[in-house]
Amino acid sequence: MADFKPSAEQMQERMNWLAGIVAQNKLVDKGNTLLPAKGSAKTVKPGHIVTDGPYTEIKEFISGYIVVRAEHIDEAVEMAQANPIFEQVGGSIEVREILKRD
Amino acid sequence: MTAVLCRHFGLKHMEIAEDIASDTFLKASENWAIHGIPENPTAWLYTVARNKARDYFKHLAVFDTQVKEAIRPQKFYREPEFEYSPQSIADSQLAMIFAVCNPINSPESQICLALQILCGFSVEEIAHAFITKTETIKKRLQRARANLRQDNFQIRTLHATEIQSRLDTVLKTLYLLFNEGYFSHTHSLQIRKDLCAEAVRLALVLTENPWTNTPQTNALLALMCFQSSRLESRINDAGEAVLFDQQDRSRWDTTLIDRGNYFLVKACDHQEISKYHLEAAVAYWHTTPTGQNKWAHILALYDQLILIEDSPVTLLNRIFAYSQVHGREKALAEAGQFKLAKSHYYHQLMGYLYAEADIAQAISHYQQAIQGTKSATEKQTLTREIARLKKTIPQKSGRPQSPSPAGGKGANS
């Protein structure tokens, strides 16, 4: 998974999935992909401790995020279930509600 | 071609450039009919155009020198250099559109001029695009040309701010150009792929320039890609229009749908949602199989769209979407709440809405729609539909699926 580079077809599948969310006017932020390259991740801990990682070799490694608009969390879950990533490489998607601040 | 010529001679010679271009095409049609189409037709056309332009300027130079002989010594006439690369042609076309979209004219006039000079639209076609009388358009064009001439109009390099401020009208021009190709009404052909292709090409050029690569441009391009994906399936082998429900989906171009998806995602920007965003989103749903929520999504988009632009066509399309979600009876009640212009689109829609409950009303509306349309293919389709309805009068059972009537102009075809 660390060396996973999506093919043009896989990128297109992802685009098609995203387009469906855009067409419902529910994509709030396309988000970003987090670089899986060496040296691109550091962990900062209390007491000025800085370590490398998390490493992409570790199973649970966040590779990106998007922000969507949904009536309730189940709707967001439905969108996540349609993500082609499961067919392509596997992994998991965490769905979280954002705290609305006024 | 007019654009390339104008770039070299300046817009003061616009009429002459137009004459040379049309002369060139005339010569081409004569010559090609006898000798066949040359290997490189574009180069052939530009060579002829260049020679004609050179003749014209020689003639002008001779005239100038003869008339002014007495007072001035003979001066050199330098032949303007021509560029032929596809790059410069593309740029000429766009540079010209931006030049014509000059804020000294109203946005409507800018678009009229651009459609006429660059897209070769007739006054009638422009009037159709604006749903206005031809007389109004004629006057508008005259005034706009006069304004440009007084301003000593030139095609020059524009600054970033000028380009950005003119982009709206340029996008609108491309939108109308595409629509005229997609729903051509003044020609016997119902679709003019050349116009669609040209609009897509110009929009693509806009996405390649960082100043014009805006969310709106991407949304417009997405819309064009989605619509283009159905170009092949909208006309059958006999040249008749095929309505949305009856189209062979295997003939839809999935590559174009993919491109549309790509540009739709690129267009997504949480700050801005334009008419093109919403129309592209509607077009997206038309590329998907009919599911439970498809029409509910489309209706929600039309609800937003009428807040931005409550044009008659948008209102009618929204009511069609409404009928798909809530049924035709409720849609009739909904239609009653709006003051709708009695266009032939209106009658098509009403014909469709009445087709279940009141066949006599439906037929009467369809007949009025036939009278209102200029398109031969549209007339044919409606006549077929009336014939089908008449057959169902004796026994009301076994109602076959009715095609979408609002497809005449909206996103439904």
Side-chain angles (χ1 to χ4, degrees):
Chain A
M1 185 165 166
D3 303 323
F4 174 67
K5 258 217 146 177
S7 67
E9 265 168 40
Q10 288 172 324
M11 287 294 282
Q12 187 60 55
E13 279 175 19
R14 182 179 159 76
M15 277 296 166
N16 295 352
W17 168 70
L18 270 178
I21 300 174
V22 175
Q24 296 173 52
N25 195 17
K26 282 178 177 159
L27 187 63
V28 177
D29 189 334
K30 268 174 284 194
N32 286 293
T33 299
L34 306 179
L35 212 60
K38 225 176 188 167
S40 68
K42 298 277 180 188
T43 303
V44 181
K45 290 179 182 166
H48 300 287
I49 298 167
V50 179
T51 58
D52 282 347
Y55 295 104
T56 52
E57 289 79 15
I58 298 172
K59 232 184 176 182
E60 301 291 317
F61 179 78
I62 298 170
S63 59
Y65 69 92
I66 64 167
V67 181
V68 299
R69 192 182 293 114
E71 290 288 319
H72 37 71
I73 194 152
D74 292 341
E75 195 189 340
V77 167
E78 223 171 277
M79 291 182 207
Q81 279 168 337
N83 191 323
I85 196 83
F86 296 119
E87 303 285 315
Q88 293 172 357
V89 282
S92 60
I93 297 173
E94 196 175 312
V95 182
R96 301 288 301 269
E97 198 173 326
I98 296 175
L99 173 71
K100 289 185 200 80
R101 290 198 178 88
D102 293 316
Chain B
M1 177 170 284
T2 309
V4 176
L5 292 169
C6 279
R7 195 179 172 89
H8 289 286
F9 307 150
L11 270 218
K12 272 200 262 177
H13 300 290
M14 190 154 70
E15 273 91 356
I16 288 139
E18 282 174 351
D19 284 349
I20 291 177
S22 65
D23 273 3
T24 305
F25 282 105
L26 183 68
K27 189 162 178 192
S29 63
E30 291 168 358
N31 191 295
W32 295 0
I34 299 164
H35 302 290
I37 295 170
E39 256 176 50
N40 188 342
T42 315
W44 192 96
L45 287 171
Y46 278 104
T47 309
V48 172
R50 181 189 55 193
N51 291 339
K52 281 189 183 293
R54 193 196 286 145
D55 288 350
Y56 167 76
F57 276 100
K58 256 187 209 154
H59 179 81
L60 198 70
V62 167
F63 179 80
D64 273 2
T65 48
Q66 279 175 356
V67 172
K68 293 166 186 167
E69 212 175 14
I71 43 171
R72 240 194 269 167
Q74 192 168 346
K75 61 175 182 182
F76 273 110
Y77 173 69
R78 223 178 118 253
E79 185 185 321
E81 288 290 319
F82 267 66
E83 302 159 55
Y84 297 106
S85 71
Q87 191 60 43
S88 78
I89 294 171
D91 289 344
S92 292
Q93 198 77 1
L94 261 188
M96 182 92 169
I97 296 185
F98 273 98
V100 168
C101 290
N102 185 319
I104 59 162
N105 281 316
S106 71
E108 289 82 15
S109 305
Q110 294 171 27
I111 295 167
C112 285
L113 258 188
L115 289 175
Q116 190 191 35
I117 301 169
L118 293 148
C119 313
F121 274 35
S122 66
V123 173
E124 201 188 12
E125 282 168 319
I126 301 174
H128 184 267
F130 278 93
I131 320 178
T132 316
K133 292 198 189 88
T134 48
E135 269 311 300
T136 319
I137 298 292
K138 258 187 212 159
K139 280 185 196 138
R140 207 185 271 175
L141 282 167
Q142 275 167 3
R143 264 199 307 271
R145 275 172 188 256
N147 276 346
L148 283 186
R149 222 170 276 129
Q150 272 169 17
D151 196 44
N152 197 14
F153 180 67
Q154 279 177 340
I155 301 178
R156 57 186 169 83
T157 315
L158 295 168
H159 301 295
T161 47
E162 286 176 302
I163 288 183
Q164 279 152 358
S165 68
R166 292 178 185 198
L167 185 58
D168 273 357
T169 41
V170 172
L171 291 180
K172 179 92 199 226
T173 304
L174 298 187
Y175 173 82
L176 292 174
L177 173 63
F178 184 88
N179 273 1
E180 185 52 36
Y182 204 69
F183 308 108
S184 189
H185 286 82
T186 42
H187 290 256
S188 47
L189 285 170
Q190 212 186 8
I191 299 175
R192 294 179 62 200
K193 285 182 203 160
D194 54 331
L195 297 187
C196 294
E198 179 65 359
V200 169
R201 190 183 68 78
L202 292 172
L204 257 173
V205 175
L206 287 178
T207 62
E208 283 156 13
N209 182 324
W211 290 338
T212 53
N213 185 19
T214 62
Q216 284 210 37
T217 306
N218 281 282
L220 177 61
L221 188 50
L223 171 64
M224 290 177 182
C225 289
F226 288 139
Q227 302 287 66
S228 300
S229 72
R230 290 196 296 278
L231 275 177
E232 293 301 325
S233 57
R234 285 180 71 230
I235 296 280
N236 65 16
D237 295 336
E240 296 163 340
V242 183
L243 291 167
F244 186 82
D245 287 346
Q246 291 146 2
Q247 286 172 14
D248 174 4
R249 284 176 186 231
S250 66
R251 289 180 75 180
W252 289 2
D253 187 333
T254 50
T255 317
L256 276 169
I257 295 176
D258 285 350
R259 294 311 285 163
N261 286 342
Y262 170 78
F263 288 115
L264 185 64
V265 174
K266 254 184 92 187
C268 181
D269 172 336
H270 44 285
Q271 300 296 322
E272 193 179 4
I273 187 146
S274 67
K275 156 186 158 68
Y276 305 126
H277 283 87
L278 294 168
E279 287 195 28
V282 170
Y284 166 87
W285 288 109
H286 284 305
T287 67
T288 63
T290 310
Q292 279 183 321
N293 286 327
K294 172 176 166 173
W295 283 102
H297 287 310
I298 293 175
L299 181 58
L301 291 163
Y302 275 125
D303 285 345
Q304 277 182 286
L305 193 54
I306 56 170
L307 297 179
I308 297 179
E309 182 197 58
D310 61 343
S311 78
V313 174
T314 312
L315 284 173
L316 294 177
N317 279 331
R318 184 185 158 271
I319 288 167
F320 180 75
Y322 196 93
S323 75
Q324 300 300 300
V325 178
H326 302 289
R328 298 189 205 195
E329 205 177 315
K330 282 189 180 156
L332 274 173
E334 181 72 11
Q337 293 185 7
F338 291 92
K339 251 198 155 173
L340 297 163
K342 304 280 182 282
S343 65
H344 66 277
Y345 303 125
Y346 167 81
H347 288 299
Q348 276 187 40
L349 176 64
M350 294 313 271
Y352 171 78
L353 293 181
Y354 275 117
E356 274 179 352
D358 188 341
I359 290 178
Q361 273 275 19
I363 290 175
S364 143
H365 276 296
Y366 277 146
Q367 275 161 349
Q368 289 178 72
I370 290 176
Q371 279 170 12
T373 182
K374 283 189 186 132
S375 156
T377 35
E378 224 167 84
K379 278 186 189 169
Q380 254 177 21
T381 313
L382 289 168
T383 311
R384 273 205 310 257
E385 187 58 16
I386 290 177
R388 190 188 68 76
L389 279 178
K390 279 185 177 156
K391 269 190 225 156
T392 62
I393 290 178
Q395 78 282 3
K396 278 185 94 179
S397 60
R399 169 177 57 87
Q401 242 211 317
S402 186
S404 117
K409 193 170 173 126
N412 299 322
S413 68

